[in-house]
Amino acid sequence: MRSKDSFVDTVAENLLDRLEDCKKTFPTALCLGGSLEAVRRLLRGRGAIERLIIMSTSHDMVKLCRDAEHGVQSENIETSFMVGDEEFLPVKESSLDLVISCLGLHWTNDLPGAMIQSRLALKPDGLFLAAILGGETLKELRIACTVAQMEREGGISPRISPLAQVRDAGNLLTRAGFSLPGVDVDEFVVRYPSALDLVEHLRAMGETNALLQRNTILKRETALATAAIYDSMFAAEDGTIPATFQFLVLQVIYMTGWRDHPSQQRAKRRGSATVSFQDIQKQFGSES
């Protein structure tokens, strides 16, 4: 993976901006697999983090982050590195103030389980922040691959990993037990000279197909047909091709949730309202 990528950096910046919206500080934070290097490099004191744990299932990614640590401006942050699995977090329960993941959780086999693990690792009133790629990501490439495979091979094999839909994000946060769940979406349209340049960028990002039971052989004629179909269906007037990325904070989907705490605002008990909507409508209707 390239050390710097403008797309990854933009998503990491958008995710970290949410820390500036919080009045509280997060002394102990865990950064989960994905764009770890970008998060560490762009943190710049946000969240008043004092101790940062960087974790990934990849030894190479952990080594990359450790090597890049020397180039990060000194922020008096005690940084440690760990190889671990998001679905079986090797941290104590109620030990973290912040769990943050940038473009990593869409790779997990058990996303609800990983989010539950994250909640349990948080202290009461701890914050969970995540950005994942959403279901509409690379829709143009999916269409081109499907049409090319049907034409050349008479059938289809998934070439892009399955991704969560936007409507699922809130349900995931609620199912994991987070309070005050929040979901918003960014959509990025990035243009490339050709479909082959798009594929090269995906490889550099480490965002290729991760399905275990996938067809590992891509015939040359199918690949060329995919590129030709992509160009014919989606090319812009200037000859470039678009690629839509969506994120959940991936369509980037951004997710925000808190571990339950008595100080948090809560919805009133159902049926406890003392004023009806009809009365409110009459009041505001008469004022207008």
Side-chain angles (χ1 to χ4, degrees), residues 87-160:
E87 298 174 31
F88 303 96
L89 288 181
V91 295
K92 293 182 180 179
E93 186 173 337
S94 303
S95 62
L96 303 171
D97 300 289
L98 171 68
V99 173
I100 187 167
S101 175
C102 181
L103 302 182
L105 286 178
H106 56 278
W107 287 107
T108 59
N109 293 314
D110 181 12
L111 181 53
M115 292 174 65
I116 290 173
Q117 289 280 309
S118 296
R119 180 182 61 81
L120 293 175
L122 286 169
K123 299 175 183 177
D125 206 29
L127 175 63
F128 171 81
L129 275 179
I132 65 173
L133 292 168
E136 293 300 312
T137 297
L138 299 177
K139 57 186 177 184
E140 300 91 351
L141 186 58
R142 293 175 188 269
I143 293 170
C145 283
T146 300
V147 174
Q149 284 188 299
M150 289 295 294
E151 287 183 354
R152 302 291 174 167
E153 302 176 22
I156 60 174
S157 174
R159 290 291 173 185
I160 300 176

Side-chain angles (χ1 to χ4, degrees), residues 76 79 207 244 288:
N76 296 321
T79 307
E207 294 289 350
T244 305
S288 61

Side-chain angles (χ1 to χ4, degrees), residues 223-245:
L224 293 175
T226 298
I229 291 169
Y230 202 127
D231 290 343
S232 64
M233 294 181 68
F234 303 110
E237 293 182 1
D238 60 1
T240 60
I241 61 165
T244 305
F245 289 86

Side-chain angles (χ1 to χ4, degrees), residues 107 157-162 208-216:
W107 287 107
S157 174
R159 290 291 173 185
I160 300 176
S161 299
T208 51
N209 194 350
L211 290 174
L212 184 63
Q213 296 180 334
R214 68 186 188 278
N215 185 354
T216 57

Side-chain angles (χ1 to χ4, degrees), residues 44-65:
R44 294 195 290 265
R46 283 178 281 199
I49 295 171
E50 300 172 4
R51 179 170 179 250
L52 177 64
I53 305 168
I54 292 179
M55 192 194 85
S56 175
T57 57
S58 168
H59 289 267
D60 292 337
M61 179 59 75
V62 171
K63 183 179 183 301
L64 183 150
C65 293

Side-chain angles (χ1 to χ4, degrees):
M1 181 176 176
R2 288 178 281 185
S3 59
K4 292 184 180 180
D5 184 294
S6 58
F7 173 67
V8 171
D9 282 3
T10 298
V11 176
E13 278 281 8
N14 290 346
L15 188 65
L16 292 171
D17 276 347
R18 286 155 173 76
L19 294 178
E20 299 188 42
D21 297 329
C22 301
K23 293 182 179 180
K24 68 172 296 179
T25 60
F26 305 94
T28 305
L30 170 66
C31 185
L32 296 177
S35 305
L36 299 170
E37 186 274 336
V39 171
R40 178 65 186 97
R41 173 166 44 83
L42 299 172
L43 190 57
R44 294 195 290 265
R46 283 178 281 199
I49 295 171
E50 300 172 4
R51 179 170 179 250
L52 177 64
I53 305 168
I54 292 179
M55 192 194 85
S56 175
T57 57
S58 168
H59 289 267
D60 292 337
M61 179 59 75
V62 171
K63 183 179 183 301
L64 183 150
C65 293
R66 182 183 287 113
D67 294 342
E69 181 69 16
H70 302 293
V72 177
Q73 294 181 351
S74 177
E75 301 176 77
N76 296 321
I77 297 179
E78 178 189 343
T79 307
S80 57
F81 303 88
M82 178 190 305
V83 175
D85 191 339
E86 295 92 339
E87 298 174 31
F88 303 96
L89 288 181
V91 295
K92 293 182 180 179
E93 186 173 337
S94 303
S95 62
L96 303 171
D97 300 289
L98 171 68
V99 173
I100 187 167
S101 175
C102 181
L103 302 182
L105 286 178
H106 56 278
W107 287 107
T108 59
N109 293 314
D110 181 12
L111 181 53
M115 292 174 65
I116 290 173
Q117 289 280 309
S118 296
R119 180 182 61 81
L120 293 175
L122 286 169
K123 299 175 183 177
D125 206 29
L127 175 63
F128 171 81
L129 275 179
I132 65 173
L133 292 168
E136 293 300 312
T137 297
L138 299 177
K139 57 186 177 184
E140 300 91 351
L141 186 58
R142 293 175 188 269
I143 293 170
C145 283
T146 300
V147 174
Q149 284 188 299
M150 289 295 294
E151 287 183 354
R152 302 291 174 167
E153 302 176 22
I156 60 174
S157 174
R159 290 291 173 185
I160 300 176
S161 299
L163 299 168
Q165 297 293 330
V166 176
R167 62 178 177 271
D168 300 326
N171 293 334
L172 285 168
L173 287 165
T174 303
R175 178 178 173 184
F178 286 107
S179 299
L180 308 176
V183 177
D184 59 291
V185 179
D186 273 345
E187 185 170 289
F188 300 86
V189 178
V190 185
R191 297 193 176 276
Y192 299 87
S194 70
L196 298 180
D197 290 287
L198 163 61
V199 172
E200 282 301 312
H201 187 196
L202 291 175
R203 287 176 175 171
M205 291 172 62
E207 294 289 350
T208 51
N209 194 350
L211 290 174
L212 184 63
Q213 296 180 334
R214 68 186 188 278
N215 185 354
T216 57
I217 300 174
L218 177 60
K219 296 180 180 179
R220 177 181 174 82
E221 62 178 19
T222 303
L224 293 175
T226 298
I229 291 169
Y230 202 127
D231 290 343
S232 64
M233 294 181 68
F234 303 110
E237 293 182 1
D238 60 1
T240 60
I241 61 165
T244 305
F245 289 86
Q246 291 191 323
F247 294 74
L248 276 146
V249 291
L250 290 349
Q251 200 180 24
V252 178
I253 302 170
Y254 298 98
M255 297 186 290
T256 306
W258 298 81
R259 185 159 186 183
D260 192 48
H261 188 269
S263 66
Q264 295 169 355
Q265 60 267 43
R266 302 174 186 277
K268 294 291 186 180
R269 180 176 53 83
R270 186 182 293 272
S272 62
T274 57
V275 179
S276 70
F277 280 110
Q278 288 183 342
D279 294 336
I280 296 175
Q281 185 178 18
K282 290 178 181 178
Q283 179 182 349
F284 285 96
S286 60
E287 290 181 358
S288 61

